[in-house]
Amino acid sequence: MKLTTTPSSCQAAAIPVGRPAGFRLVAWLLFACLSVCAGAAAAAQRAPARRAPAQTLGSTPWLLTAGTRSSVEGTVQCVPLGQEPRGVSLPGSGSASGPASGRMSARVGAVLRANALGTCEGSVRFSYEALWYLSVVSASINGVGCTSTQWFVACPVLLAVGESATVSTELDAGPYARGSTEVAVSGVDNPLYQPIEFQTEGSITVAQAPALVVPGVNRSGTTELSLRASGPSGARDVQLSEQFPAFITASSDDPACRFESLQGRLSCAWAHVDPGATVRVPIQISAGAGYPTSQLSTQLQARCDLGTAGAVASIVVSGSLVAGEQSLDAPPRVIMDSVLVDHVSLHTLPGASRGAPPPGIPARWTVSFSPGLQVQGVTPAEDSRDLVCNYSDDSVSCSAPNYGSDQPGTNANAAIRLSAVQPGRQTATLRWESTQGVGTTSLSVQVFWDPASPEGGPGSAAASSPRQGEEP
């Protein structure tokens, strides 16, 4: 809270006329101390809230961020009797081009004219529009508490000629505050309307866990789609879509989502998502009988009034109970000497009528890389300490003699560290085998010659990202 008094002290500004100076000073100091101490005790009990810098009363709108508390200020000045109440120019508020520029924000504040005794006495009032997403938290004038309700503030003013006081108000804007409003300032000689505008801050993110699908088994691939609003503002009019490859279908029991079979697209919609909240949607994915073993990718796209977001999700289709998956972590633009990480894992797919594979089966997987990707090392995951791996410049082989010994789907996961050493389209081909079957999938990524131009050509802003697909 900003406390300012000019040109004299706060105590002197509040001294009434006609009483002994010593009495007035002691009474004022005692009242101010009690008010400040009471305010500090109340603030200590409240949970901390995010606050924006204080904003001054004037023609420039107060900007409030949805989902936060903001401090706003209004200056009241006492002017001599007979002076035109046009407002006051505060330091730093003038326009560089002078008064003729028409910049109204150069004159700010509210004015009271002095009485015959040379003092200004009254009550300045701030009347806010009754909006469910806007409320007054607290208000004070030069640090002394004012009377306030949810949409109203009244502050007593007692000033000498030439003195000013600052009304500081803390406003709470709800997470879905949008548009604009105004506050009527009255009780002064120049009543005015102060505009208020609401702005948003925050973003959304989307993600989906890999889906493991058995061809010919309806809804065998179960996964979960998640959408999160980061805040502090809430997300409104949220739309999400996921585009699936041909001959892959999806369904969800969530009433907010529907699958359009002709377009192969899953669409979901929510009126709002609270700040910090995550919406989770269970999804079931199916592939027709005879669909080849493959690792596919889907595109997630989300939008709301906070912005847009996207992500790539993975679908592994296999007729075997044990299937392999890899995900290539790469920077937005892969250039020479970039470092990539290929995460490889074996999964036990849902078997429907078939039973799960017995624990402790031998399993093995190998990843072969094109010449532009060079292996720097391989690290088994924490749940795969028995995984034995060997590698060369262009391949990695790992064996899990007791795959699934603790529970199905563990003991065969590793991260492969790679370096980009040659431009062009590079591939990582995964092959796995076990007593439950074999399979092969492939990923690819574009490597550029340098940061300025793709493949050594003229400068371009083109970027690259990993692409997933079945090996031809």
Side-chain angles (χ1 to χ4, degrees):
M1 181 179 291
K2 182 179 180 182
L3 308 179
T4 59
T5 305
T6 57
S8 60
S9 69
C10 176
Q11 293 88 342
I15 297 176
V17 177
R19 291 194 180 185
F23 172 80
R24 293 196 300 271
L25 180 60
V26 171
W28 169 259
L29 291 175
L30 179 59
F31 176 69
C33 179
L34 291 174
S35 300
V36 171
C37 293
Q45 296 177 353
R46 288 197 306 266
R50 178 176 172 181
R51 294 174 174 83
Q55 303 172 58
T56 305
L57 181 71
S59 61
T60 301
W62 287 338
L63 293 178
L64 306 182
T65 299
T68 69
R69 291 181 177 180
S70 301
S71 294
V72 295
E73 296 182 340
T75 301
V76 183
Q77 180 157 346
C78 182
V79 300
L81 182 67
Q83 178 173 320
E84 185 69 19
R86 297 176 301 170
V88 294
S89 295
L90 297 181
S93 64
S95 172
S97 57
S101 67
R103 182 179 173 187
M104 296 181 61
S105 61
R107 307 192 68 80
V108 297
V111 173
L112 286 173
R113 280 184 288 191
N115 55 27
L117 298 177
T119 61
C120 295
E121 184 174 1
S123 175
V124 61
R125 298 178 294 278
F126 295 76
S127 300
Y128 293 85
E129 186 177 357
L131 301 173
W132 64 269
Y133 49 76
L134 177 66
S135 61
V136 174
V137 178
S138 62
S140 64
I141 181 166
N142 282 356
V144 178
C146 299
T147 299
S148 64
T149 63
Q150 184 173 1
W151 297 302
F152 178 77
V153 172
C155 297
V157 179
L158 184 57
L159 300 171
V161 172
E163 295 178 338
S164 64
T166 298
V167 177
S168 298
T169 306
E170 187 174 32
L171 298 174
D172 191 335
Y176 299 105
R178 302 293 191 273
S180 61
T181 183
E182 59 187 6
V183 53
V185 183
S186 60
V188 293
D189 285 42
N190 58 332
L192 53 90
Y193 288 92
Q194 168 64 38
I196 299 174
E197 293 183 0
F198 299 101
Q199 60 185 3
T200 59
E201 181 181 334
S203 62
I204 55 173
T205 55
V206 291
Q208 184 173 294
L212 310 173
V213 182
V214 177
V217 179
N218 188 39
R219 298 162 64 100
S220 61
T222 58
T223 184
E224 184 179 74
L225 186 154
S226 63
L227 182 144
R228 175 179 172 80
S230 65
S233 303
R236 291 176 43 170
D237 189 20
V238 182
Q239 308 286 327
L240 185 146
S241 65
E242 181 174 6
Q243 188 65 50
F244 287 86
F247 306 109
I248 299 292
T249 61
S251 61
S252 176
D253 296 329
D254 193 315
C257 301
R258 70 181 188 277
F259 182 72
E260 304 167 79
S261 56
L262 292 179
Q263 293 82 12
R265 182 171 59 243
L266 181 72
S267 300
C268 304
W270 299 273
H272 63 272
V273 176
D274 292 339
T278 300
V279 178
R280 305 183 187 278
V281 178
I283 296 174
Q284 298 80 38
I285 300 176
S286 306
Y291 200 97
T293 296
S294 55
Q295 181 172 332
L296 311 170
S297 62
T298 64
Q299 299 292 328
L300 300 173
Q301 295 290 334
R303 61 178 178 84
C304 66
D305 66 341
L306 299 181
T308 60
V312 177
S314 176
I315 299 176
V316 177
V317 181
S318 177
S320 303
L321 287 181
V322 175
E325 180 204 6
Q326 59 177 330
S327 59
L328 198 58
D329 288 350
R333 181 182 177 87
V334 179
I335 60 174
M336 295 284 288
D337 298 326
S338 290
V339 175
L340 299 76
V341 178
D342 190 10
H343 296 278
V344 181
S345 59
L346 293 188
H347 297 277
T348 301
L349 274 70
S353 59
R354 297 175 293 175
I361 65 170
R364 176 184 177 87
W365 54 259
T366 300
V367 186
S368 301
F369 299 98
S370 57
L373 298 176
Q374 188 174 80
V375 179
Q376 301 296 316
V378 56
T379 304
E382 283 296 318
D383 65 355
S384 306
R385 295 182 179 180
D386 292 335
L387 189 67
V388 178
C389 296
N390 298 291
Y391 68 91
S392 63
D393 285 348
D394 60 359
S395 67
V396 173
S397 295
C398 294
S399 298
N402 295 303
Y403 172 73
S405 58
D406 295 327
Q407 61 183 20
T410 61
N411 310 108
N413 310 320
I416 304 171
R417 185 180 176 88
L418 305 168
S419 178
V421 297
Q422 180 176 309
R425 180 67 60 183
Q426 307 301 329
T427 60
T429 302
L430 169 66
R431 175 181 173 81
W432 67 89
E433 57 186 27
S434 72
T435 56
Q436 305 303 310
V438 299
T440 303
T441 65
S442 182
L443 300 182
S444 65
V445 65
Q446 176 71 45
V447 178
F448 293 122
W449 180 260
D450 58 46
S453 61
E455 301 188 84
S460 170
S464 76
S465 61
R467 297 199 307 178
Q468 298 180 343
E470 182 184 7
E471 183 188 27

